[in-house]
Amino acid sequence: MCADLNVVQEGNRLPAVQLGESVQEYSNKYGMYINPADRTKYKHIEGKDQIRVYVDGVFDMFHFGHARYIMQAKNMFPNTYVIAGVSAGSTTLELKGQTVMTEEERCESVRQCRYVDEVICPAPWCINKEFLHEHNIDFVVQNDAPYPMGDNPDIYKPIKDAGMFLPVIRTNSVSTSDYITRIIAEYDKYLQRNLERGYSRHDLGITFLKEKRLEVRRRVEGVHKAINGYIADFMEYFYEPISHRIVDFISPQNSLQNSPVASDVSDQEDEEDGTESKSKKQKAED
């Protein structure tokens, strides 16, 4: 149900628009895809100074993808009032599944977004013209892809047909489901993390045996870490210096320098240098 703003360089985590910074300046600086609406195409907003737009979603574990979605909605017109609808907890559970955050937590997270002027919570899953009229909404801003529900191929189609729909592009590099998947993939690590922070096994919903297995694993990992540390210290303070000395001692260059032959050659070169020096000195005196 949520749709977010995309970027040309997908995956970049862009900063918020700064106070006094225009949408075009932000777009030029970060290469973000921002598509302000052409108000001349819509007769129902003629003469209106402030345009009221509506964004909606579950907004579970509110993240930067949600913020980009709302940011584009905010910048559709020079003077835009953004109303954010947050779906009800019971409806979301029925139609989409279990959320991490409660309805109240999701509403408050959206309320703290700098681009949001008003929050409707709980908001209907399917909106109609009567809802838009009740809240004086000029446009619904959402992902342009059809959103099916049951036999309805697109719950936003009546709004689109009425010319009151403005599209944005979803950020494909982030989603609440992705975050939940990361946690599930590292389930035991996050259990251990919270146990170490004082949560009980009852808080985490795990059995006594599971808690003890995690404790044993933690201790074994601690022993492995200590052993690796001792080995690293031995290598640094004893093995490496000795190995360097052995290599230096047995290297061909070192052996040649210390050999009798090398010594004789060196002595002979010194004698030749001395004789040549005396010869040059005698010629100079003559």
Side-chain angles (χ1 to χ4, degrees), residues 1 54 56-57 84-88 91 103 120-127 131:
M1 193 170 182
Y54 180 77
D56 63 348
V86 182
S87 60
T91 307
E103 179 181 311
I120 297 177
C121 183
W125 194 271
C126 296
I127 55 178
F131 176 83

Side-chain angles (χ1 to χ4, degrees), residues 17-33:
V17 175
Q18 300 301 312
L19 292 177
E21 184 178 39
S22 70
V23 178
Q24 191 59 50
E25 289 171 339
Y26 187 85
S27 179
N28 292 340
K29 185 188 298 184
Y30 297 108
M32 174 169 280
Y33 176 77

Side-chain angles (χ1 to χ4, degrees), residues 133-243:
H133 178 74
E134 177 185 354
H135 296 279
N136 194 25
I137 295 170
D138 298 305
F139 293 99
V140 174
V141 179
Q142 256 293 353
N143 178 11
D144 195 30
Y147 192 94
M149 189 180 74
D151 296 332
N152 188 348
D154 186 7
I155 62 175
Y156 294 103
K157 190 176 187 307
I159 310 299
K160 295 175 181 177
D161 293 342
M164 301 178 69
F165 184 92
L166 296 175
V168 293
I169 303 176
R170 181 183 179 88
T171 300
N172 293 321
S173 57
V174 61
S175 72
T176 300
S177 296
D178 290 340
Y179 289 147
I180 294 175
T181 300
R182 293 183 198 176
I183 296 172
I184 294 173
E186 302 291 347
Y187 176 65
D188 283 354
K189 290 183 179 179
Y190 286 108
L191 284 179
Q192 186 63 54
R193 171 188 182 275
N194 279 16
L195 286 171
E196 293 174 359
R197 282 161 175 74
Y199 288 87
S200 70
R201 65 180 181 86
H202 301 289
D203 297 328
L204 300 173
I206 61 176
T207 64
F208 174 81
L209 291 177
K210 179 68 173 180
E211 180 185 22
K212 293 308 174 184
R213 281 199 295 268
L214 289 171
E215 183 178 348
V216 170
R217 177 183 296 181
R218 178 181 62 83
R219 291 183 179 183
V220 170
E221 289 176 350
V223 172
H224 286 171
K225 185 176 181 181
I227 293 174
N228 290 335
Y230 294 144
I231 294 174
D233 290 342
F234 173 79
M235 295 292 289
E236 179 179 358
Y237 293 107
F238 296 99
Y239 177 77
E240 290 185 4
I242 292 174
S243 63

Side-chain angles (χ1 to χ4, degrees), residues 49-78:
D49 177 51
Q50 185 181 72
I51 308 302
R52 294 166 63 90
V53 302
Y54 180 77
V55 297
D56 63 348
V58 176
F59 298 115
D60 193 22
M61 298 177 67
F62 191 89
H63 52 70
F64 71 90
H66 296 139
R68 289 181 181 175
Y69 160 39
I70 302 173
M71 186 190 76
Q72 188 177 16
K74 183 69 173 178
N75 292 302
M76 283 292 180
F77 301 94

Side-chain angles (χ1 to χ4, degrees), residues 31-45:
M32 174 169 280
Y33 176 77
I34 296 179
N35 185 26
D38 182 3
R39 63 178 300 153
T40 61
K41 296 181 179 179
Y42 307 98
K43 294 183 179 180
H44 69 283
I45 60 171

